[in-house]
C-alpha cells in the first residue's frame, strides 16, 4: 500500500517539475476524474489542461474550470464539448487538442457508468456503458498516439480508471454483448474491463515509451456511486473523492508507474517501480499496488483472444466513424 502521506508528498513535488505539462481529462465533470483534475491543477506549474464535457454539463464544468483559473492562474484551462458515449465524438476532442498542442503528457480517462436502466444503444449502435468505459477510451488513446509520442516527459502517461486487475471471462462469440440474454450490468462491466486491459496491452507493446495504468479505485464516494446506491449497490466504506483524486494524481505523475523514469516525479524512497502485467501495463489496486490477474489474462493472450478483441474493436471504430460521416444509422456488426 502506498500511504496517503507518500502520495501527498509526491504530488507536492509536481510544482518543481518543468512548466507546461499538457494533460487531457475525459470524465472530469464529476467524481474521480473531477478530483484528479482539481489535484493536478492545484499542483502543476503552468499546466495546459483540456477537459471534456457533454453539452448538459458544460455550464457546471466551465464554472469548475473558472475556480481553477482563480486558484492556479499560471494554468490554461480549455473545455471541449463532446459526448464520449459516441466514439466518433473523440475525433472532435483530439482535433481540439491538436489545434493548440504539439504534445500530450498525460491522458486521464474516467468517463463511464453502469447502465442500471438497461441497455439503450447510442445512434452508433453501441451500449453507452461500454462505449464510455471501453470503445471511446481506446479510440482516444489510438488517435492521441502522435501527440503522446511528442510528450515532453520521457514516458507519457495514460490512466484509465475502471477495474484493472479484476478482469473476468469474456463472451468471446459476442464481444459487444448484442444478444439480450447475454447483456447484463455485470457482463458489460466485465467486457469493458477485460477488453480494455487486453487492448491497452497491445498499445503498450506497440508503443514502448508509453506508460499505461489501468486502475481499480475501489468504492469511491462519487455521484456515480450515489446513483448506484439508488439501485441497491452500496459498498461499505467508500474512499473519499479527495483522497481518490490525490491517489489518481500520484498514478498519473509518479515514476512508480513509468516504463522509463524521467520527466515526472521520481519514485518515493522505500518504494520500487511497480511490476507490469504480462502484457505490459500497470494494473493497480485502490491503494496504488500492482495487482496480478495473469491466470486469466495469460490464457486469453495464449488463445489469441487479445487479437480477436483488437480486430473486433477496429471494425467497430471503422463503422462508427463511417456512419457518423455519412449520417447513417446502422449497427456495427462483428
Ligand atoms: N465510484 C466508484 O466507486 C467506482 C469504482 C470502480 C470503478 N469506477 C469507475 O470509475 C469511473 C468514474 O466513476 P465515478 O464514480 O467518478 O463516476 P461519476 O461521478 O458518475 O462520473 C462519471 C463521468 O463519466 C461521464 N459520463 C457518465 N455517463 C455518461 C454518458 N452516458 N455519456 C458520456 N459521459 C458520461 C460523466 O459525465 P457527466 O458529468 O456529463 O454525467 C462524468 O464525467 C467509471 O467508469 C466507473 O465505472 C467507479
Amino acid at each position: 500500500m502506498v500511504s496517503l502521506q507518500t502520495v501527498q508528498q509526491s504530488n507536492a513535488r509536481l510544482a518543481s517539475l518543468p512548466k507546461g505539462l499538457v494533460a487531457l481529462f475525459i470524465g472530469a465533470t464529476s467524481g474521480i476524474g473531477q478530483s484528479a483534475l482539481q489535484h493536478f491543477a492545484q499542483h502543476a506549474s503552468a499546466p495546459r489542461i483540456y477537459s471534456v464535457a457533454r453539452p448538459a454539463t458544460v455550464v457546471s464544468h466551465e464554472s469548475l474550470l473558472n475556480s481553477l483559473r482563480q486558484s492556479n492562474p499560471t494554468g490554461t484551462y480549455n473545455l471541449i464539448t463532446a459526448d464520449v458515449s459516441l466514439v466518433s465524438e473523440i475525433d472532435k476532442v483530439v482535433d481540439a487538442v491538436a489545434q493548440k498542442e504539439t504534445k500530450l503528457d498525460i491522458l486521464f480517462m474516467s468517463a463511464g457508468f453502469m447502465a442500471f436502466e438497461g441497455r439503450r444503444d447510442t445512434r452508433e449502435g453501441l451500449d453507452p456503458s461500454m462505449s464510455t468505459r471501453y470503445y471511446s477510451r481506446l479510440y482516444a488513446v489510438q488517435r492521441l498516439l502522435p501527440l503522446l509520442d511528442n510528450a515532453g516527459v520521457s514516458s507519457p502517461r495514460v490512466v484509465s480508471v475502471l477495474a484493472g486487475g479484476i478482469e473476468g471471462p469474456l463472451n468471446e462469440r459476442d464481444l459487444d454483448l448484442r444478444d439480450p440474454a447475454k447483456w447484463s450490468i455485470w457482463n458489460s462491466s466485465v467486457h469493458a474491463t477485460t477488453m480494455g486491459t487486453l487492448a491497452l496491452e497491445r498499445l503498450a507493446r506497440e508503443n514502448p515509451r508509453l506508460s499505461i495504468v489501468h486502475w481499480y479505485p475501489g468504492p469511491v464516494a462519487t455521484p456515480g456511486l450515489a446513483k448506484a446506491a439508488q439501485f441497491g449497490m452500496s459498498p461499505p466504506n467508500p474512499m473519499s473523492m479527495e483522497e481518490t483524486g490525490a491517489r489518481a494524481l500520484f498514478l498519473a505523475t509518479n515514476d512508480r508507474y513509468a516504463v522509463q523514469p524521467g520527466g515526472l516525479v521520481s519514485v518515493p524512497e522505500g518504494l520500487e517501480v511497480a511490476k507490469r502485467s504480462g502484457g505490459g501495463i500497470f494494473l493497480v489496486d485502490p491503494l496504488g499496488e500492482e495487482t496480478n490477474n495473469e491466470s486469466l489474462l495469460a490464457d486469453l493472450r495464449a488463445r489469441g483472444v487479445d487479437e480477436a478483441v483488437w480486430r473486433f474493436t477496429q471494425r467497430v471504430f471503422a463503422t462508427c466513424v463511417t456512419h457518423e460521416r455519412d449520417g447513417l444509422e446502422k449497427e456495427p456488426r462483428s
Side-chain angles (χ1 to χ4, degrees), residues 202-318:
R202 159 123 183 191
L203 286 173
R205 285 195 296 275
E206 288 179 348
N207 299 275
R209 271 184 65 220
L210 200 58
S211 300
I212 302 180
V213 177
H214 183 178
W215 186 32
Y216 172 59
V220 182
T222 63
L225 193 65
K227 184 172 177 208
Q230 294 167 13
F231 292 88
M233 188 184 278
S234 307
N237 307 318
M239 193 181 277
S240 70
M241 267 178 57
E242 167 62 26
E243 175 169 350
T244 307
R247 290 186 175 280
L249 182 60
F250 181 74
L251 294 173
T253 58
N254 194 281
D255 278 349
R256 182 161 206 244
Y257 313 99
V259 297
Q260 288 175 30
L264 290 170
V265 182
S266 56
V267 181
E269 234 179 86
L271 292 181
E272 290 177 351
V273 174
K275 206 169 149 208
R276 279 178 275 158
S277 69
I281 67 172
F282 297 95
L283 299 174
V284 181
D285 79 1
L287 297 177
E289 287 304 337
E290 72 220 14
T291 58
N292 182 324
N293 200 358
E294 278 306 301
S295 55
L296 178 110
L297 293 171
D299 171 63
L300 292 174
R301 289 185 217 108
R303 291 190 296 106
V305 178
D306 53 348
E307 286 306 310
V309 164
W310 182 265
R311 284 193 302 273
F312 174 79
T313 305
Q314 298 309 311
R315 281 201 297 274
V316 169
F317 292 168

Side-chain angles (χ1 to χ4, degrees), residues 21 28 45 66 76 136 141 145 189 198 246 321 323:
L21 285 175
S45 183
N66 275 333
T76 58
S136 288
V141 185
L145 283 171
S189 299
L198 293 174
V321 173
H323 285 180

Side-chain angles (χ1 to χ4, degrees), residues 26-34 52-58 60 82-86 109-114 128-129 131-133 137 161-163 189 215-227 235 238 241:
I26 302 177
T29 54
S30 174
I32 298 166
Q34 182 178 100
V52 178
R54 48 184 173 162
T57 40
V58 160
S60 61
D83 179 349
V84 300
S85 65
L86 296 170
M109 302 182 293
S110 58
F113 69 106
M114 295 175 107
S129 82
S131 58
T132 48
R133 293 183 296 175
R137 293 189 190 193
V161 183
L162 189 52
S189 299
W215 186 32
Y216 172 59
V220 182
T222 63
L225 193 65
K227 184 172 177 208
M241 267 178 57

